[in-house]
Amino acid sequence: MSGLLAGKRLLVTGVITDASIAFSVAKLAQENGAQVVLTGYGRLSLVERIARRLPEPAPVIEVDVTNDEHLAGLADRVREHVDGLDGVVHSIGFAPQSCLGGGFLDAPWADVATALQVSTFSYKSLAMAALPLMSSGGAVVGLTFDATKAWPVYDWMGVAKAGLESASRYLALHLGKQGIRSNLVAAGPLRTIAAKSIPGFDQFEDAWTERAPLGWNLTDQEPAARACLALLSDWFPATTGEIVHVDGGYHAIGA
Ligand SMILES: NC(=O)c1ccc[n+]([C@@H]2O[C@H](COP(=O)([O-])OP(=O)(O)OC[C@H]3O[C@@H](n4cnc5c(N)ncnc54)[C@H](O)[C@@H]3O)[C@@H](O)[C@H]2O)c1
């Protein structure tokens, strides 16, 4: 098999529809020579149906990142399909409705805690669950939404992403000795299930389509997926703790 990821074995989380960023990552990775194992959360039969739309069949393992048993059994479940992992893609985010859409001042801690467990802490949990299968040269890649600013309506998800960005740097620090990299892609707004669950998300859509220097396509997941592939590949061997913006250049300009 030839391609950017020839011979690489990847674990890709976060596929729920074919609009999921993770679906584009899995598709592009297979097209570029990788062997892909998916994880699914909740509606497994739906994830399996979506997985059949990939160029190659991909096994689906059930992983709820808040379930310790799922995490503890992950390495063994993955070993049923591949003998090791060269890369792990974390494409997971969730916040209860109270945490989004302007509810920042009123969201209760229980809901905020859920958002942080699923969207932030899970980056570390997933990496540790997969670590027994990884070796030097391996890579962990996650998806963020630029957390250096307070956005309208993003609220506690923004805080969760700020934590994710920090967690990625700490993972880079702690796994660096083992030769494992941790990097994030900061994507611009894309119309996925997660995005549609944010009341007022259209404000991002308008801002990006009007102002991103390169322009921005709200339904094209491939640019973000391409960056994930690059970070999973051998072409960023000395890069870790980094955030690559795939946002049409929006982060670089004044509002
Ligand atoms: N869509 C955007 O505009 C955008 C922009 C920047 C970053 N992101 C990030 O990209 C990532 C992927 O989101 P997406 O936009 O592709 O949406 P999506 O809805 O397709 O994917 C989100 C995934 O998270 C999974 N998930 C939720 N709770 C989980 C749990 N407890 N255990 C395991 N998986 C769980 C869902 O099953 C789903 O597959 C998220 O981290 C999101 O914050 C999205």
Side-chain angles (χ1 to χ4, degrees):
M1 198 38 135
S2 61
L4 186 68
L5 299 182
K8 301 242 184 248
R9 301 149 301 174
L10 304 182
L11 184 69
V12 178
T13 66
V15 171
I16 190 70
T17 70
D18 58 8
S20 294
I21 297 170
F23 182 84
S24 286
V25 173
K27 178 170 177 286
L28 214 56
Q30 287 186 342
E31 288 168 357
N32 283 275
Q35 199 178 345
V36 172
V37 177
L38 298 177
T39 74
Y41 163 65
R43 301 169 66 193
L44 260 274
S45 57
L46 174 61
V47 180
E48 279 160 358
R49 182 146 48 85
I50 300 295
R52 287 199 281 276
R53 297 184 194 166
L54 289 169
E56 306 283 332
V60 180
I61 295 169
E62 183 178 19
V63 177
D64 171 352
V65 287
T66 67
N67 183 318
D68 289 340
E69 283 173 25
H70 287 185
L71 292 169
L74 178 70
D76 286 341
R77 300 286 313 278
V78 173
R79 252 190 227 103
E80 292 169 15
H81 306 286
V82 287
D83 53 5
L85 285 175
D86 304 291
V88 174
V89 178
H90 178 283
S91 190
I92 293 169
F94 172 76
Q97 282 295 299
S98 65
C99 296
L100 299 160
F104 182 81
L105 298 177
D106 298 317
W109 165 241
D111 287 355
V112 172
T114 299
L116 295 176
Q117 185 179 14
V118 177
S119 312
T120 307
F121 186 72
S122 71
Y123 188 70
K124 193 271 323 180
S125 319
L126 180 73
M128 290 309 289
L131 195 61
L133 297 167
M134 298 184 79
S135 53
S136 185
V140 184
V141 174
L143 275 303
T144 188
F145 187 72
D146 184 3
T148 56
K149 297 170 186 72
W151 301 102
V153 309
Y154 207 47
D155 292 312
W156 285 101
M157 197 63 196
V159 179
K161 289 302 191 191
L164 174 70
E165 293 177 6
S166 181
S168 174
R169 289 187 286 268
Y170 276 96
L171 205 64
L173 174 67
H174 287 280
L175 297 186
K177 278 193 225 51
Q178 297 175 53
I180 294 170
R181 296 168 289 129
S182 167
N183 293 291
L184 299 179
V185 170
L190 293 162
R191 284 191 186 146
T192 62
I193 299 262
K196 284 178 195 156
S197 75
I198 303 173
F201 188 76
D202 52 335
Q203 295 177 47
F204 294 129
E205 300 190 344
D206 295 345
W208 250 261
T209 43
E210 280 163 28
R211 295 200 211 119
L214 289 173
W216 184 250
N217 184 341
L218 299 159
T219 57
D220 185 5
Q221 275 64 325
E222 190 168 319
R226 280 180 176 246
C228 292
L229 258 66
L231 290 167
L232 291 163
S233 79
D234 297 331
W235 286 89
F236 279 100
T239 299
T240 194
E242 188 57 273
I243 302 175
V244 178
H245 292 84
V246 181
D247 62 353
Y250 190 96
H251 72 284
I253 56 157

